[in-house]
Amino acid sequence: STQTPYMDRDEVAQVLAIASEQVRIIPSAVGGGFGGKLDCSVQPLLAVAAWVMEQPVRCTFNRPESLASSTKRHPARMKAAASCNQDGILTSFRFDGDFDTGAYASWGPTVADRVPIHSTGPYFVPNILAQTRALLTNGPPSGAFRGFGVPQSAIANEALMDLLAEKVGMDGLEFRLKNALCKGQRTGSGQLLENSVGQVECLEALQPRWKEWCATSLEFNQNSGNIKRGVGIGCCWYGCGNTSMSNPSTMRVGINAEGCITLYNGAMDIGQGANTIMVQICSEALGIPAIAFNFVMGDTDRTADAGKTSASRQAFVSGKASQLAGEHLRTQIIHLAEADEDATIRLEGNRIIVEDQAGEHPILLSDLLPRSNGDVLIGEGTFDPPTTKLDENGQGSPYATYGFGAHIAEVEVDLKLGTTRVLRLAAAHDVGRAVNPTQVEGQIQGGVAQGLGMALMEEYVQGVTENLHDYLIPTVGDMPDIEIMLIEDPEPLGPYGAKGIGEHALIPTAPAILGGIKHATAVAIPRIPATPDRVLSALKQKVNRV
């Protein structure tokens, strides 16, 4: 299992000191990401074992071995400050973050690059100083784990937004709405946002729920003793793709002499649905129903390099490459048939029927010479999002497009036990265009689950955490009712307007839950997860201060 078949291939070749072409990676259809899947941790070891033993080998971990060997989210210590004027308009922001990358660099430099860009949240701030360090320690290596440090920095930023709103006497959602990034504004890196900036629309979509839930929690608290309810809000923005660097993907689609059409998809599907949407996009571009497609996933001998399944890039980058591949193949077919550009195409056995106003133009596929993979017609598309490197002052265009979103969460806190329960959550996300709405909703639901775990229960202690009794993750009993609102502000560069959603969905959840705890109890939790002992400790300190 892997997120990076071509990276695996090159790492194995490097370790064995052979050419990359002598290594073939055939991925398995196993979901989930990060840990060993993004860090090429076992593939070179397996290759060496197979080489030495001259027989097939495999590596299996028990749970303690898996927990000990895989990378974790970067532990972070952050300090942030912000200011606004009397009207609630943000005027400045400062962020200092230390991210523990463990005994090796791993993804530390990448996190240190991404966090300062995103540390202000999706708000326009004219004066910014954001600095991040990735620190080497004697701890286990840290990994990107859905968000490259941005979920951590969002907790600090969103807490500041609540504090400032409180100081100027504004509603938390209204304060965010007043400062939300809009088209025509520049980000902290000086990048002009020209298209697909749906943060205002996300907040406006949540506004009715926010007002209703705040009123309901206030009424509940007036008639409740030890159980208190609160509503919190968190916002996010997230650059789709690698930071300020080339980020290409190549996709191919072919038709063989028997009329079988295949999408050669190098973008790994790790549960997010890339196999489905790549076919959907290519089908739309070619003009042949998706049900007619076969596909090959990730096989390095049969697919082109589509890059890593990380950084929320595949729907945007590989999706566009799939569109271009379909359009390339369609252009060849139209020209071969000498038909009009708007002609329809259909497959009938070993023939392609191209139909325009002049009538039908059949193409007999068996008359064409076979090329790679036995296909007689091949379309190829490559897309590399336009970005620029940041200068010494952090100025540039690090991402071609950004996803935006906001979550609100209603929580219930037991003041005697310190336990927190999330009752319901509403999530609004600007996805550009939802190619497959069901899969987009699934990504958001999964992000909420991870964000809930991050906020309330997931904590790894080196040398202590060995199993899923010690490392708690949310179950179905912990999950709230989730209402999802999809905002579609199309991105012109994306496939039919689409952007990514993979990592965005996690980012606002923990800030919203922590904001809800503060709203319910009037105490802030300075360290996550907000376990019962930490909530009780914060409540005790509040009493002692009074």
Side-chain angles (χ1 to χ4, degrees), residues 10 23 63 65 119 154 164 179 220 228 247 271 275 289 380 489 492 497 522 527:
D10 295 342
V23 179
R63 182 62 66 190
E65 290 170 337
S119 61
L164 287 173
N179 290 285
F220 178 88
K228 297 295 182 182
N247 186 24
N275 287 343
E380 181 173 297
D489 188 351
R527 181 179 177 183

Side-chain angles (χ1 to χ4, degrees), residues 225-228 412-421 521 530-540:
N226 294 322
I227 307 295
K228 297 295 182 182
E412 191 173 82
V413 183
D414 188 317
L415 301 183
K416 282 193 172 182
L417 300 177
T419 55
T420 302
R421 188 163 66 101
T521 63
T531 50
D533 59 307
R534 289 175 183 156
V535 173
L536 286 175
S537 176
L539 290 168
K540 184 177 180 181

Side-chain angles (χ1 to χ4, degrees), residues 251-265 282 286 288 292-296 302 322 325-326 328-330 332-333 347 352 365 368 371-381:
M251 303 287 277
R252 297 188 184 121
V253 58
I255 302 176
N256 66 17
E258 287 75 42
C260 177
I261 183 168
T262 303
L263 178 64
Y264 300 95
N265 170 22
C282 190
L286 180 57
I288 291 179
F293 278 70
N294 296 314
F295 71 90
V296 174
R302 302 188 68 193
S322 296
H328 183 217
L329 180 55
R330 176 181 172 83
Q332 293 177 60
I333 293 170
L347 286 169
I352 300 176
L365 294 167
L368 305 177
R371 299 159 67 186
S372 62
N373 291 313
D375 292 322
V376 296
L377 289 171
I378 298 172
E380 181 173 297

Side-chain angles (χ1 to χ4, degrees), residues 42-357:
V42 299
Q43 289 87 342
L45 305 180
L46 290 168
V48 170
W51 183 285
V52 171
M53 300 177 70
E54 297 184 349
Q55 63 181 4
V57 299
R58 69 176 176 182
C59 176
T60 59
F61 287 170
N62 59 30
R63 182 62 66 190
E65 290 170 337
S66 174
L67 281 166
S69 66
S70 58
T71 58
K72 313 299 183 293
R73 184 182 298 283
H74 285 74
R77 291 182 179 177
M78 301 169 292
K79 293 182 179 179
S83 64
C84 68
N85 63 22
Q86 290 182 341
D87 296 325
I89 303 296
L90 288 168
T91 55
S92 70
F93 179 85
R94 177 166 184 161
F95 178 89
D96 291 282
D98 287 341
F99 287 74
D100 179 356
T101 196
Y104 300 90
S106 185
W107 291 94
T110 308
V111 167
D113 285 342
R114 188 176 282 261
V115 168
I117 298 167
H118 292 86
S119 61
T120 59
Y123 310 111
F124 176 73
V125 188
N127 303 290
I128 301 167
L129 177 59
Q131 302 176 103
T132 306
R133 300 187 299 178
L135 300 177
L136 292 168
T137 68
N138 64 349
S142 298
F145 193 63
R146 199 169 194 172
F148 291 94
V150 178
Q152 293 96 304
S153 65
I155 291 173
N157 175 68
E158 291 300 310
L160 278 175
M161 297 302 106
D162 286 335
L163 281 171
L164 287 173
E166 187 179 322
K167 284 184 178 293
V168 297
M170 285 184 65
D171 173 85
L173 190 147
E174 288 289 347
F175 183 87
R176 288 167 170 84
L177 195 54
K178 179 171 282 194
N179 290 285
L181 280 166
C182 301
K183 292 174 188 175
Q185 292 181 325
R186 292 189 180 272
T187 69
S189 71
Q191 181 175 355
L192 179 65
L193 297 176
E194 299 181 88
N195 301 291
S196 195
V197 187
Q199 186 60 34
V200 168
E201 290 83 353
C202 289
L203 289 166
E204 288 176 340
L206 290 174
Q207 207 163 25
R209 296 289 181 273
W210 171 260
K211 291 179 179 178
E212 175 193 339
W213 294 4
C214 286
T216 301
S217 66
L218 178 62
E219 181 181 352
F220 178 88
N221 291 339
Q222 290 172 345
N223 301 297
S224 178
N226 294 322
I227 307 295
K228 297 295 182 182
R229 290 182 180 177
V231 185
I233 181 171
C235 294
C236 75
W237 70 318
Y238 197 76
C240 298
N242 299 336
T243 306
S244 292
M245 60 189 297
S246 181
N247 186 24
S249 175
T250 298
M251 303 287 277
R252 297 188 184 121
V253 58
I255 302 176
N256 66 17
E258 287 75 42
C260 177
I261 183 168
T262 303
L263 178 64
Y264 300 95
N265 170 22
M268 282 303 302
D269 189 331
I270 55 172
Q272 83 281 21
N275 287 343
T276 303
I277 67 163
M278 297 306 162
V279 170
Q280 284 183 262
I281 292 168
C282 190
S283 162
E284 180 77 14
L286 180 57
I288 291 179
I291 197 171
F293 278 70
N294 296 314
F295 71 90
V296 174
M297 179 186 72
D299 184 337
T300 56
D301 273 12
R302 302 188 68 193
T303 67
D305 189 356
K308 300 187 294 291
T309 296
S310 68
S312 301
R313 60 177 294 280
Q314 292 294 23
F316 175 53
V317 184
S318 293
K320 186 65 174 184
S322 296
Q323 178 185 343
L324 295 174
E327 290 172 350
H328 183 217
L329 180 55
R330 176 181 172 83
T331 297
Q332 293 177 60
I333 293 170
I334 293 293
H335 288 176
L336 198 61
E338 298 182 349
D340 295 337
E341 293 296 326
D342 60 352
T344 61
I345 298 173
R346 68 181 187 272
L347 286 169
E348 291 185 358
N350 65 348
R351 298 191 309 160
I352 300 176
I353 307 299
V354 183
E355 186 174 358
D356 61 11
Q357 291 182 346

